[in-house]
Every structure is written in C-alpha cells, then in structure tokens.
Coordinates of all heavy atoms in Angstrom, one line a residue:
D1 N 14.7 89.8 18.6 CA 14.6 88.5 19.3 C 13.6 88.6 20.5 O 13.9 89.2 21.5 CB 16.0 88.0 19.9 CG 15.9 86.7 20.6 OD1 14.8 86.1 20.6 OD2 17.0 86.3 21.1
P2 N 12.4 88.0 20.3 CA 11.4 88.2 21.4 C 11.8 87.6 22.7 O 11.1 88.0 23.7 CB 10.1 87.4 20.8 CG 10.4 87.4 19.3 CD 11.9 87.4 19.1
R3 N 12.8 86.7 22.7 CA 13.2 86.2 23.9 C 14.5 86.8 24.4 O 15.2 86.3 25.1 CB 13.5 84.7 23.8 CG 12.2 84.0 23.5 CD 12.4 82.5 23.0 NE 11.1 81.9 22.6 CZ 10.4 81.2 23.5 NH1 10.9 81.1 24.7 NH2 9.2 80.7 23.2
A4 N 14.8 88.0 23.9 CA 16.0 88.7 24.4 C 16.0 88.9 25.8 O 14.9 89.2 26.4 CB 16.1 90.1 23.7
R5 N 17.1 88.8 26.5 CA 17.4 89.1 27.9 C 18.1 90.4 28.0 O 19.1 90.6 27.6 CB 18.2 88.0 28.6 CG 17.5 86.6 28.7 CD 16.4 86.6 29.6 NE 15.5 85.4 29.5 CZ 15.9 84.2 30.0 NH1 17.0 84.0 30.6 NH2 15.1 83.2 29.8
V6 N 17.4 91.4 28.5 CA 17.8 92.8 28.6 C 17.7 93.4 30.0 O 16.7 93.3 30.7 CB 17.0 93.6 27.6 CG1 17.5 95.0 27.6 CG2 17.0 93.1 26.2
A7 N 18.8 93.9 30.4 CA 18.9 94.8 31.6 C 19.7 96.0 31.2 O 20.9 95.9 31.3 CB 19.4 94.0 32.8
C8 N 19.1 97.0 30.8 CA 19.7 98.2 30.3 C 19.7 99.4 31.2 O 18.5 99.9 31.4 CB 19.3 98.5 28.9 SG 20.1 99.9 28.1
E9 N 20.7 99.9 31.6 CA 20.7 101.1 32.5 C 21.4 102.3 31.8 O 22.4 102.1 31.0 CB 21.5 100.9 33.8 CG 21.2 99.6 34.5 CD 19.8 99.5 35.1 OE1 19.2 100.6 35.4 OE2 19.2 98.4 35.4
V10 N 20.9 103.5 32.0 CA 21.4 104.7 31.3 C 21.6 105.8 32.3 O 20.9 105.8 33.2 CB 20.5 105.2 30.2 CG1 21.0 106.4 29.5 CG2 20.3 104.0 29.0
S11 N 22.7 106.5 32.1 CA 23.0 107.7 32.9 C 23.4 108.8 31.9 O 23.9 108.6 30.9 CB 24.1 107.6 33.9 OG 24.3 108.7 34.7
C12 N 22.9 110.1 32.2 CA 23.2 111.2 31.3 C 23.7 112.4 32.2 O 23.1 112.6 33.3 CB 22.0 111.6 30.4 SG 20.6 112.1 31.1
T13 N 24.6 113.2 31.7 CA 25.0 114.4 32.3 C 25.4 115.4 31.2 O 25.3 115.1 30.0 CB 26.1 114.1 33.3 OG1 26.4 115.3 34.0 CG2 27.4 113.6 32.6
T14 N 26.0 116.5 31.6 CA 26.3 117.5 30.5 C 27.2 116.9 29.5 O 28.3 116.4 29.8 CB 27.1 118.6 31.2 OG1 26.3 119.2 32.4 CG2 27.3 119.7 30.3
G15 N 26.8 116.8 28.3 CA 27.5 116.4 27.2 C 27.8 114.9 27.0 O 28.6 114.5 26.1
L16 N 27.2 114.0 27.8 CA 27.5 112.6 27.8 C 26.2 111.8 28.2 O 25.6 112.1 29.2 CB 28.6 112.4 28.8 CG 29.1 110.9 28.9 CD1 29.7 110.4 27.6 CD2 30.2 110.8 30.0
V17 N 26.1 110.7 27.4 CA 25.1 109.6 27.7 C 25.9 108.3 27.8 O 26.6 107.9 26.9 CB 24.0 109.6 26.6 CG1 23.0 108.3 27.1 CG2 23.2 110.8 26.5
I18 N 25.7 107.6 28.9 CA 26.4 106.3 29.1 C 25.2 105.2 29.1 O 24.3 105.3 29.9 CB 27.2 106.3 30.5 CG1 28.1 107.4 30.5 CG2 27.9 104.9 30.6 CD1 28.8 107.6 31.8
V19 N 25.4 104.2 28.3 CA 24.5 103.1 28.2 C 25.2 101.9 28.7 O 26.2 101.4 28.2 CB 24.0 102.8 26.8 CG1 22.9 101.8 26.8 CG2 23.4 104.2 26.2
M20 N 24.6 101.3 29.8 CA 25.3 100.1 30.5 C 24.3 99.0 30.6 O 23.2 99.1 30.5 CB 25.8 100.5 31.8 CG 26.7 101.7 31.9 SD 26.7 102.5 33.6 CE 25.2 103.3 33.5
G21 N 24.8 97.8 30.9 CA 23.9 96.7 31.2 C 24.3 95.4 30.7 O 25.4 95.2 30.2
E22 N 23.4 94.4 30.8 CA 23.6 93.0 30.4 C 22.5 92.6 29.3 O 21.4 92.7 29.7 CB 23.6 92.1 31.5 CG 24.6 92.3 32.7 CD 24.3 93.4 33.5 OE1 23.1 93.6 34.0 OE2 25.2 94.4 33.8
I23 N 22.9 92.2 28.1 CA 22.0 92.0 27.1 C 22.4 90.7 26.3 O 23.6 90.6 25.9 CB 21.9 93.1 26.1 CG1 21.4 94.4 26.8 CG2 21.0 92.7 24.9 CD1 21.3 95.6 25.8
S24 N 21.5 89.8 26.1 CA 21.8 88.5 25.5 C 20.7 88.4 24.4 O 19.5 88.4 24.8 CB 21.8 87.3 26.3 OG 22.9 87.4 27.2
I25 N 21.0 88.3 23.1 CA 20.1 88.0 22.0 C 20.6 87.0 21.1 O 21.9 86.8 21.1 CB 19.7 89.3 21.2 CG1 20.9 89.9 20.5 CG2 19.0 90.3 22.0 CD1 20.7 91.0 19.6
S26 N 19.8 86.3 20.4 CA 20.2 85.2 19.6 C 21.1 85.6 18.3 O 22.0 85.0 18.0 CB 19.0 84.3 19.1 OG 18.1 85.2 18.4
E27 N 20.7 86.8 17.8 CA 21.4 87.3 16.7 C 20.9 88.7 16.4 O 19.8 89.1 16.8 CB 21.3 86.4 15.4 CG 19.8 86.3 15.0 CD 19.7 85.4 13.8 OE1 20.6 84.7 13.4 OE2 18.6 85.5 13.1
G28 N 21.8 89.4 15.6 CA 21.3 90.8 15.2 C 22.1 91.9 15.8 O 23.1 91.6 16.7
Y29 N 22.0 93.1 15.4 CA 22.7 94.2 15.9 C 21.8 95.4 16.0 O 21.0 95.8 15.1 CB 23.9 94.5 14.9 CG 24.6 95.8 15.1 CD1 25.5 96.0 16.2 CD2 24.3 97.0 14.3 CE1 26.2 97.3 16.3 CE2 24.9 98.2 14.6 CZ 25.9 98.3 15.6 OH 26.5 99.5 15.8
V30 N 22.1 96.2 17.1 CA 21.3 97.4 17.3 C 22.4 98.6 17.4 O 23.3 98.5 18.2 CB 20.5 97.4 18.6 CG1 20.0 98.9 18.9 CG2 19.4 96.4 18.5
D31 N 22.1 99.6 16.6 CA 22.9 100.9 16.7 C 22.5 101.7 17.9 O 21.7 102.5 17.7 CB 22.8 101.6 15.4 CG 23.5 103.0 15.3 OD1 24.4 103.2 16.2 OD2 23.2 103.8 14.4
I32 N 23.2 101.4 19.0 CA 22.8 102.1 20.2 C 23.1 103.5 20.2 O 22.2 104.4 20.6 CB 23.3 101.3 21.5 CG1 22.7 99.9 21.5 CG2 23.2 102.1 22.7 CD1 23.3 99.1 22.7
P33 N 24.3 103.9 19.7 CA 24.4 105.4 19.7 C 23.4 106.2 18.8 O 23.0 107.2 19.2 CB 25.9 105.5 19.0 CG 26.5 104.2 19.5 CD 25.6 103.2 19.4
G34 N 23.1 105.5 17.7 CA 22.1 106.1 16.8 C 20.7 106.2 17.5 O 20.0 107.2 17.4
L35 N 20.4 105.2 18.3 CA 19.1 105.1 18.9 C 19.1 106.3 20.1 O 18.1 106.9 20.2 CB 19.0 103.8 19.6 CG 17.6 103.4 20.3 CD1 17.4 101.9 20.3 CD2 17.7 103.8 21.8
V36 N 20.2 106.4 20.8 CA 20.3 107.4 21.8 C 20.0 108.8 21.2 O 19.3 109.6 21.7 CB 21.7 107.5 22.4 CG1 21.9 108.7 23.4 CG2 21.8 106.2 23.3
R37 N 20.7 109.1 20.0 CA 20.6 110.4 19.4 C 19.2 110.7 18.8 O 18.6 111.8 19.0 CB 21.6 110.6 18.3 CG 23.0 110.5 18.8 CD 24.1 110.9 17.8 NE 25.4 110.5 18.2 CZ 26.2 111.2 19.1 NH1 25.5 112.3 19.6 NH2 27.3 110.8 19.5
N38 N 18.5 109.6 18.3 CA 17.2 109.8 17.8 C 16.2 110.0 19.0 O 15.3 110.9 18.9 CB 16.8 108.5 17.1 CG 17.3 108.5 15.7 OD1 17.7 109.5 15.1 ND2 17.4 107.3 15.1
T39 N 16.4 109.3 20.1 CA 15.5 109.6 21.3 C 15.7 111.0 21.8 O 14.7 111.6 22.0 CB 16.0 108.6 22.4 OG1 15.9 107.3 22.0 CG2 15.1 108.8 23.6
L40 N 16.9 111.5 21.9 CA 17.1 112.9 22.3 C 16.5 113.8 21.4 O 15.8 114.9 21.8 CB 18.6 113.2 22.5 CG 19.4 112.4 23.5 CD1 20.8 112.7 23.5 CD2 18.9 112.7 25.0
K41 N 16.6 113.6 20.1 CA 16.0 114.5 19.1 C 14.6 114.5 19.2 O 13.9 115.5 19.1 CB 16.5 114.0 17.7 CG 16.0 114.9 16.6 CD 16.4 114.3 15.2 CE 15.9 115.2 14.0 NZ 16.2 114.6 12.8
N42 N 13.9 113.3 19.3 CA 12.4 113.3 19.5 C 11.9 113.9 20.8 O 10.8 114.5 20.8 CB 12.0 111.8 19.6 CG 12.1 111.1 18.2 OD1 12.1 111.7 17.2 ND2 12.2 109.8 18.2
I43 N 12.7 113.9 21.8 CA 12.3 114.6 23.1 C 12.3 116.1 22.9 O 11.5 116.9 23.4 CB 13.2 114.2 24.3 CG1 13.0 112.8 24.6 CG2 13.0 115.1 25.5 CD1 14.1 112.1 25.6
G44 N 13.3 116.6 22.1 CA 13.4 118.0 21.9 C 14.8 118.6 22.2 O 14.9 119.9 22.1
Y45 N 15.8 117.8 22.5 CA 17.1 118.3 22.8 C 17.9 118.6 21.4 O 18.8 117.8 20.9 CB 17.8 117.4 23.7 CG 17.4 117.6 25.1 CD1 16.6 116.6 25.6 CD2 17.9 118.7 25.8 CE1 16.1 116.8 26.9 CE2 17.4 118.9 27.2 CZ 16.6 117.9 27.7 OH 16.1 118.1 29.0
T46 N 17.4 119.5 20.6 CA 17.9 119.9 19.3 C 18.7 121.1 19.2 O 19.3 121.4 18.2 CB 16.7 120.0 18.4 OG1 15.8 121.0 18.9 CG2 16.0 118.6 18.3
D47 N 18.8 121.9 20.4 CA 19.4 123.3 20.2 C 20.7 123.3 21.1 O 20.6 123.1 22.3 CB 18.4 124.3 20.8 CG 18.9 125.7 20.5 OD1 20.1 125.9 20.4 OD2 18.0 126.7 20.5

C-alpha cells in the first residue's frame, strides 16, 4: 500500500529482536518475523 502509515521501531539484544510501532495499511500481510530473520542473514549473523 503506497499510502501505508508506518512508524516502526526495533530493539535487539542477546537472542532477541523486538519489533514495535504503529502501522496502518489498506490490506495485506507482511511476515515480520521472516523479514527480521532474512535481514539478519543478509547482514551476516549466520554463525
């Protein structure tokens, strides 16, 4: 949704990522846990 309203804050610490915020979209679904893991993998946290 190009008109999505998004304010997404993230915190990470040993063994945990927390995704918080306020998001409004007209329709649809995002796999946020999957997105988090793919991001970490692309950065290089694989070991």
Side-chain angles (χ1 to χ4, degrees):
D1 180 1
R3 295 166 183 271
R5 295 287 169 79
V6 180
C8 181
E9 315 289 341
V10 176
S11 183
C12 65
T13 188
T14 307
L16 181 63
V17 177
I18 306 172
V19 183
M20 305 161 281
E22 299 78 43
I23 297 176
S24 297
I25 58 173
S26 59
E27 61 183 12
Y29 169 77
V30 172
D31 175 13
I32 291 177
L35 185 152
V36 169
R37 296 188 193 282
N38 282 333
T39 302
L40 296 174
K41 183 180 180 181
N42 291 336
I43 292 169
Y45 283 100
T46 57
D47 189 338

